[in-house]
C-alpha cells in the first residue's frame, strides 16, 4: 500500500510538470555553454599573454643581440688592433735582429762600419770576440765623411725606431747632425758655427764634467737666460749650444767606457789574454788621439796598433801616415799577439801541422829564418743521416774539417815588390795535400799538411788570399757535399 501510494505521488507530480525535464536539460546546456565560454576566454587570455611574452622575449633578444653585436664588434676591433700591434712588434724585432746580425758579421770579418761600432757600444749581447777592438767614438766621428754620414743615418733609423736605448741613439743622431754640418761647412771640427776662440773657452768650462753634471748646468743656464739675469746673452746662448753638443758626445763616450770596462773584466776573468795584452787592448779602445790630431801637444796615435779596424778607419796605403807621422811596422811578435787577441770563433782551433818539405841544409833553407804564423782550423760534427743512425751525443762521430785560416807573418821582406804566395802539392795519400808558403829573403818556405778537397773560391764563403801590412792571409773553406744513402 505504501509502495502504491509512493508511486501514485510520483506519477501525479510528473504529470503536474510536463516540461520539467526540458528545463533541467536546458539548464545543464546553459551551464555547459557558460563554462565553455569561460574556458575559451581563459584560453584566449593565455594565448594573448603567451603572445605578449613571446613578443617581449623577441624584443629583448633583439635588443640584447644589438648590444651583443656592438660588444662583439668592439671585441673584434680590439682583437684586430692587438694583432696589428703584435705584428708591428714582431716586425720591429725582425729589423733589430737583422741589424744586429749585420753588425756582428761585418765586425767579425773586419768590415765594420761606423753604425756597427756605435751599436756594439750599447749592445753587450753582440756576439763578437772579447778581444775585438771597438774604437773610441771620437775616432768614429772624425773618420766620417759625407758618404759615411748618409749611410750611417740610413741604418741609424732602425735603432731609433726599434731599440729601447732611446737616449743613446738620440745622442748619436744629434752628434751625427753636428758632424754633417761641419763637413758641409768644409771644416774638420764639431763646433758648428760657433767661433773657434769661443769654443776653446767654453770647452775649458765643460771639460771633465759628467753627463749628469752637464744636464744640471744646462738646466741652470736655461733658467738664467729665461729670467733675463744674464748680461752677455749671446755668450750664454753659445755656451748652451755647445753644452748640448758636448753632452750628446759624452753620453756616447760614457756608454763606450762602460762597455770597455765590462769587456776587459770578462777577458781578465776568463784568462783568455795576458795582463799585458789586456792593457794594450784597453789603451787601443780608449785612445782619443786620432780625434785630437790637430793638437800639437799630443803625439799622433800609432794606427798600426789598431790592426783589426776596417779600412774606412785607416789611411790609404799610398799615404800610410797619420797626423804627418810615418806608421811604424809591427814586428813578428806584435803581429802574432795581434792575431792572438782576435781569439777563436765557434768551431775554430789553433792549427800547426807543419810539414818538412825541404832538408835543413838545402838551398831553400840555408841562411834564412822561419816565418812566424797564427793558423786556425775550422772543424765540427755533421749530423747527417748516416751519423744519426750510427752515433749519438754520448758517442759522437769524428769531427769534419771545414777549412783553414792561414796567417803567415812577413814584416821584414827585403824585396817588397815580390809578394809572398802559396802552392798546393798533391801527396800519395788521396786524403791529404801539402800547402807551401813561399816568400823572398830573409824567410824560409814553410809548409803544412792539410785535408784534400775542393775549395770554395767565393768571398761569400770566407775565401781570402791577400798580402797586406806584413801578413799573408789565405783563408778558405771546402765545398760541402750533402750525404745521400
Amino acid at each position: 500500500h505504501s509502495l502504491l501510494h509512493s508511486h501514485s505521488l510520483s506519477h501525479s507530480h510528473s504529470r503536474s510538470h510536463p516540461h520539467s525535464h526540458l528545463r533541467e536539460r536546458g539548464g545543464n546546456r546553459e551551464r555547459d555553454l557558460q563554462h565553455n565560454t569561460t574556458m575559451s576566454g581563459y584560453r584566449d587570455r593565455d594565448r594573448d599573454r603567451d603572445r605578449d611574452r613571446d613578443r617581449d622575449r623577441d624584443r629583448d633578444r633583439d635588443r640584447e643581440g644589438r648590444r651583443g653585436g656592438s660588444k662583439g664588434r668592439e671585441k673584434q676591433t680590439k682583437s684586430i688592433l692587438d694583432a696589428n700591434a703584435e705584428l708591428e712588434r714582431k716586425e720591429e724585432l725582425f729589423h733589430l735582429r737583422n741589424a744586429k746580425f749585420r753588425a756582428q758579421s761585418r765586425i767579425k770579418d773586419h768590415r765594420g762600419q761606423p753604425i756597427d761600432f756605435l751599436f756594439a757600444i750599447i749592445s753587450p749581447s753582440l756576439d763578437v770576440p772579447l778581444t775585438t777592438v771597438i774604437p773610441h767614438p771620437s775616432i768614429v766621428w772624425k773618420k766620417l765623411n759625407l758618404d759615411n754620414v748618409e749611410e750611417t743615418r740610413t741604418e741609424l733609423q732602425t735603432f731609433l725606431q726599434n731599440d729601447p736605448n732611446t737616449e743613446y741613439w738620440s745622442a748619436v743622431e744629434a752628434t751625427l747632425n753636428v758632424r754633417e754640418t761641419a763637413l758641409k761647412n768644409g771644416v774638420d771640427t764639431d763646433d758648428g758655427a760657433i767661433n773657434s776662440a769661443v769654443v776653446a773657452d767654453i770647452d775649458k768650462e765643460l771639460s771633465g764634467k759628467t753627463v749628469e753634471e752637464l744636464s744640471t748646468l744646462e738646466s741652470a743656464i736655461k733658467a738664467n737666460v729665461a729670467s733675463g739675469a744674464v748680461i752677455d746673452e749671446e755668450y750664454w746662448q753659445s755656451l748652451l749650444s755647445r753644452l748640448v753638443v758636448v753632452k750628446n758626445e759624452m753620453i756616447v763616450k760614457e756608454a763606450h767606457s762602460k762597455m770597455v770596462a765590462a769587456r776587459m773584466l770578462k777577458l781578465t776573468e776568463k784568462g783568455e789574454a795576458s795582463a799585458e795584452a789586456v792593457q794594450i787592448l784597453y789603451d787601443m779602445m780608449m785612445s782619443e788621439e786620432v780625434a785630437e790630431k790637430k793638437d800639437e801637444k799630443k803625439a799622433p796615435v800609432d794606427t798600426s796598433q789598431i790592426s783589426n779596424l776596417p779600412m774606412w778607419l785607416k789611411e790609404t796605403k799610398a799615404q800610410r801616415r797619420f797626423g804627418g807621422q810615418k806608421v811604424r811596422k809591427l814586428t813578428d811578435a806584435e803581429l802574432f799577439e795581434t792575431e792572438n787577441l782576435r781569439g777563436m770563433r765557434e768551431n775554430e782551433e789553433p792549427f800547426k801541422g807543419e810539414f818538412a818539405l825541404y832538408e835543413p841544409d838545402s838551398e831553400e833553407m840555408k841562411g834564412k829564418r822561419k816565418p812566424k804564423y797564427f793558423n786556425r782550423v775550422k772543424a765540427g760534427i755533421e749530423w747527417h743521416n748516416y751519423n744519426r743512425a750510427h752515433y749519438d751525443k754520448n758517442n759522437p762521430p769524428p769531427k769534419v774539417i771545414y777549412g783553414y785560416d792561414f796567417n803567415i807573418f812577413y814584416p821584414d821582406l827585403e824585396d817588397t815588390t815580390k809578394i809572398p804566395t802559396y802552392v798546393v802539392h798533391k801527396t800519395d795519400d788521396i786524403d791529404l795535400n801539402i800547402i807551401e808558403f813561399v816568400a823572398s829573403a830573409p824567410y824560409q818556405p814553410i809548409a803544412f799538411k792539410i785535408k784534400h778537397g775542393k775549395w770554395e773560391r767565393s768571398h761569400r764563403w770566407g775565401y781570402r788570399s791577400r798580402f797586406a801590412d806584413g801578413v799573408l792571409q789565405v783563408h778558405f773553406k771546402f765545398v760541402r757535399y750533402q750525404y745521400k744513402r
Side-chain angles (χ1 to χ4, degrees):
H1 177 75
S2 60
L3 288 173
L4 289 174
H5 180 70
S6 173
H7 177 72
S8 63
L9 286 174
S10 175
H11 184 70
S12 63
H13 179 72
S14 63
R15 283 200 306 266
S16 62
H17 300 285
H19 301 292
S20 59
H21 66 285
L22 293 176
R23 283 199 304 272
E24 183 178 352
R25 188 178 300 168
N28 291 337
R29 191 178 295 118
E30 288 176 4
R31 283 194 301 273
D32 291 342
L33 182 61
Q34 184 179 2
H35 174 72
N36 291 338
T37 302
T38 303
M39 292 304 293
S40 176
Y42 286 154
R43 282 193 296 271
D44 291 343
R45 184 185 63 186
D46 290 343
R47 187 164 51 250
D48 292 341
R49 186 168 56 200
D50 291 342
R51 190 185 303 116
D52 291 341
R53 188 186 301 117
D54 292 342
R55 186 169 57 248
D56 291 342
R57 187 186 301 114
D58 292 340
R59 185 175 62 248
D60 292 342
R61 188 183 297 115
D62 292 341
R63 190 180 299 142
E64 185 66 27
R66 285 193 296 272
R67 277 201 300 265
S70 177
K71 289 181 180 179
R73 284 191 296 273
E74 289 176 5
K75 187 175 181 181
Q76 186 178 12
T77 303
K78 185 176 182 301
S79 177
I80 293 172
L81 292 174
D82 290 344
N84 289 339
E86 180 65 15
L87 286 175
E88 289 178 3
R89 188 184 70 82
K90 288 182 177 179
E91 185 177 4
E92 290 173 359
L93 289 175
F94 172 77
H95 289 307
L96 197 58
R97 279 196 296 266
N98 276 355
K100 181 177 179 180
F101 178 76
R102 280 197 305 272
Q104 285 180 177
S105 299
R106 291 193 296 218
I107 291 176
K108 283 182 176 180
D109 293 340
H110 313 297
R111 299 180 292 107
Q113 299 299 308
I115 192 65
D116 300 332
F117 292 112
L118 292 170
F119 180 52
I121 289 172
I122 202 65
S123 179
S125 62
L126 200 67
D127 183 22
V128 295
L130 291 173
T131 51
T132 301
V133 175
I134 309 298
H136 195 278
S138 298
I139 298 179
V140 177
W141 301 133
K142 284 297 181 179
K143 295 305 294 183
L144 285 173
N145 52 42
L146 281 174
D147 292 334
N148 281 335
V149 167
E150 290 304 319
E151 292 171 7
T152 304
R153 186 187 304 284
T154 300
E155 295 197 45
L156 175 62
Q157 299 309 310
T158 299
F159 300 111
L160 281 169
Q161 295 169 9
N162 305 317
D163 194 89
N165 299 293
T166 52
E167 183 188 37
Y168 174 82
W169 290 113
S170 297
V172 168
E173 183 182 36
T175 307
L176 200 62
N177 292 337
V178 172
R179 178 60 181 160
E180 184 178 28
T181 302
L183 290 169
K184 287 181 177 178
N185 290 336
V187 296
D188 196 31
T189 58
D190 291 345
D191 47 37
I194 306 175
N195 183 278
S196 58
V198 176
V199 169
D201 292 337
I202 292 174
D203 284 351
K204 287 181 182 178
E205 296 285 339
L206 302 179
S207 65
K209 295 188 183 297
T210 64
V211 172
E212 186 177 355
E213 291 170 338
L214 290 171
S215 297
T216 303
L217 182 59
E218 181 184 8
S219 300
I221 293 173
K222 285 181 177 178
N224 286 338
V225 171
S227 67
V230 296
I231 298 175
D232 189 354
E233 184 175 342
E234 184 179 355
Y235 170 80
W236 287 100
Q237 289 289 1
S238 299
L239 175 60
L240 185 61
S241 175
R242 181 61 183 167
L243 186 149
V244 172
V245 172
V246 173
K247 188 180 79 168
N248 286 323
E249 291 177 351
M250 189 55 65
I251 288 173
V252 183
K253 287 180 181 180
E254 286 190 359
H256 178 267
S257 297
K258 291 178 182 177
M259 178 274 300
V260 171
R263 290 173 74 86
M264 295 304 101
L265 180 61
K266 285 183 180 179
L267 197 59
T268 304
E269 289 175 346
K270 291 185 175 183
E272 294 181 359
S274 65
E276 182 182 2
V278 171
Q279 185 62 49
I280 291 173
L281 187 64
Y282 177 82
D283 293 340
M284 289 163 65
M285 288 205 276
M286 295 303 293
S287 173
E288 297 185 59
E289 295 294 330
V290 173
E292 299 172 359
K293 64 181 181 182
K294 288 192 173 183
D295 188 349
E296 296 179 358
K297 296 179 181 179
K298 296 185 178 180
V301 69
D302 181 3
T303 52
S304 63
Q305 293 288 335
I306 314 176
S307 57
N308 68 333
L309 293 184
M311 288 307 297
W312 65 267
L313 261 175
K314 296 181 179 181
E315 296 298 323
T316 62
K317 286 185 179 180
Q319 294 170 331
R320 294 304 294 157
R321 51 179 69 239
F322 201 93
Q325 179 176 333
K326 188 74 175 178
V327 175
R328 178 180 65 83
K329 291 192 302 181
L330 294 181
T331 65
D332 301 70
E334 288 171 328
L335 287 170
F336 180 90
E337 185 62 28
T338 300
E339 193 64 40
N340 185 40
L341 278 172
R342 293 177 185 172
M344 298 289 167
R345 300 180 189 175
E346 187 178 1
N347 292 334
E348 285 187 346
E349 299 173 6
F351 175 71
K352 292 186 177 180
E354 283 187 46
F355 180 79
L357 198 59
Y358 302 98
E359 294 295 329
D361 57 350
S362 64
E363 185 179 346
E364 290 84 357
M365 308 291 282
K366 245 182 207 181
K368 299 177 182 178
R369 76 172 193 254
K370 185 175 75 172
K372 291 185 180 294
Y373 58 85
F374 192 103
N375 302 333
R376 299 175 177 86
V377 58
K378 305 172 188 293
I381 295 174
E382 292 186 342
W383 290 106
H384 48 62
N385 291 340
Y386 179 86
N387 281 351
R388 281 199 295 268
H390 295 81
Y391 299 95
D392 55 38
K393 291 184 178 180
N394 296 324
N395 179 31
K399 286 186 176 181
V400 175
I401 294 176
Y402 300 144
Y404 300 89
D405 287 355
F406 289 98
N407 303 283
I408 317 297
F409 307 133
Y410 300 109
D412 301 321
L413 287 173
E414 294 176 3
D415 187 353
T416 56
T417 62
K418 294 181 179 179
I419 303 300
T421 185
Y422 69 93
V423 183
V424 178
H425 305 283
K426 292 183 178 180
T427 67
D428 295 334
D429 189 338
I430 61 173
D431 295 326
L432 294 175
N433 283 342
I434 301 296
I435 183 168
E436 178 188 6
F437 296 94
V438 183
S440 60
Y443 294 103
Q444 299 174 350
I446 187 171
F448 301 89
K449 192 179 292 187
I450 62 172
K451 170 188 168 182
H452 170 78
K454 185 178 179 181
W455 295 11
E456 287 278 9
R457 297 281 182 171
S458 170
H459 292 284
R460 178 184 175 188
W461 299 106
Y463 176 75
R464 179 182 299 173
S465 177
R466 70 178 184 185
F467 177 72
D469 299 327
V471 183
L472 173 61
Q473 292 183 318
V474 179
H475 300 178
F476 61 89
K477 294 178 182 176
F478 294 109
V479 176
R480 297 175 69 177
Y481 301 97
Q482 190 171 4
Y483 173 81
K484 294 183 179 180
R485 298 183 67 176

